[in-house]
Amino acid sequence: MHQSTNTRQGGAIVSAHLTRRLLQLYVGLALYGVSSALLVRAGLGLEPWGVLHQGLAELTGLTIGVVSIIVGAVVLLLWIPIRQRPGLGTVSNVFVIGLAMDATLALVPRVDELGGQIPLMAGGIVLNGVATGLYIAARFGPGPRDGLMTGLHRLTGRSIRLVRTAIEVAVVATGFALGGSVGVGTVAYALAIGPLAQLFLRVFAIPEGDGRSTVVAGGSPARAILRR
C-alpha cells in the first residue's frame, strides 16, 4: 500500500514538474515575441536578429514574424552539418516567437514621440530578459540561433564570445543593409540583455530531482549562451 502511494505521489511530482517546464517554455517564447514587437513599435533600433528580420521583411513584403519563422527554420537546417540536436524548445522557438510577434504588432500601434518610445524600448528589453530566463530555464533545448552559436563554438574551438560577436555583427550588418532598424535600442539591448537574462535565469530556475539546477551551474549551456 505504501509503495503504491509513494509511486502515485512520485508520478504526480514528475507531472507537475513537467507541466511547469512546459508552461515556462511557451510563456517565455510568447513573451519573447511580444518583446521583439515592442522594440519594433518603439522605433529606436532592434536586437541583432530583429534587424535582419526587419530588413528581410522590407525586402520581401512578408511580415516580420513570418520572416522570423523562415530564418529560424533555415538556421535550424544549419544544425545538420554541425551535428546539433534540436529539442522541443528548439522547434517551438521557430514558430511561437514569430506568431506572437505578428499578433502583438497587430495590436500595438507605432509610437512616434520620444516620450513614449523610450519607455516602450526599455520595457521591451526588460521583457526580453524575462522571456529569455523563462524559456532557457525550462531546459527543452536552445533556440536555433543559440544552437548555431554553441555548435560553431564546439566545431571551431573558438570562444563563445568570439563566435557570438561574429554572428551578430554579420547579422546586424546584413539587416541594416536591407533596411533594418539600428539605433540606441540596438546598443541598449546588447549591453543589458546579458545581465538581465542571467538574473531571470536564476529567478526562474527549475531544480532537478536532486534539488540542483543545471541552469545556473557553472558550466551550464545557459551560461555558455549568455557568456560574452
Side-chain angles (χ1 to χ4, degrees), residues 29-190:
L29 292 177
L31 290 180
Y32 197 103
V34 172
S35 70
S36 295
L38 294 181
L39 290 175
V40 172
R41 288 300 187 228
L44 295 176
L46 306 180
E47 75 278 18
W49 284 94
V51 176
L52 177 62
H53 297 156
Q54 189 178 55
L56 288 172
E58 292 287 337
L59 179 68
T60 62
L62 298 172
T63 67
I64 192 170
V66 169
V67 169
S68 173
I69 292 171
I70 294 171
V71 170
V74 171
V75 172
L76 192 54
L77 290 176
L78 297 177
W79 282 32
I80 297 173
I82 60 176
R83 298 181 181 180
Q84 288 282 93
R85 292 185 179 180
L88 174 64
T90 310
V91 178
S92 297
N93 183 294
V94 173
F95 297 100
V96 176
I97 291 177
L99 293 173
M101 192 174 184
D102 274 350
T104 304
L105 288 171
L107 296 173
V108 179
R110 180 180 175 87
V111 178
D112 295 317
E113 296 181 358
L114 195 61
Q117 288 176 308
I118 292 176
L120 195 60
M121 176 195 73
I125 292 172
V126 172
L127 185 59
N128 193 278
V130 172
T132 300
L134 278 167
Y135 90 79
I136 292 181
R139 302 194 309 274
F140 280 107
R145 299 155 186 82
D146 288 328
L148 176 64
M149 176 190 65
T150 54
L152 289 174
H153 157 68
R154 176 178 49 80
L155 191 68
T156 64
R158 302 294 185 181
S159 69
I160 285 286
R161 179 178 299 177
L162 177 61
V163 173
R164 179 168 186 153
T165 300
I167 291 174
E168 292 190 352
V169 166
V171 163
V172 169
T174 303
F176 181 70
L178 294 174
S181 175
V182 176
V184 65
T186 310
V187 176
Y189 180 91

Side-chain angles (χ1 to χ4, degrees), residues 136 149-150 160-161 164 194 197-199 201-202 213-228:
I136 292 181
M149 176 190 65
T150 54
I160 285 286
R161 179 178 299 177
R164 179 168 186 153
Q198 190 65 56
L199 168 64
L201 274 167
R202 294 182 182 277
S213 171
T214 59
V215 173
V216 295
S220 73
R223 181 159 294 197
I225 288 171
L226 296 172
R227 189 178 297 127
R228 288 178 179 271

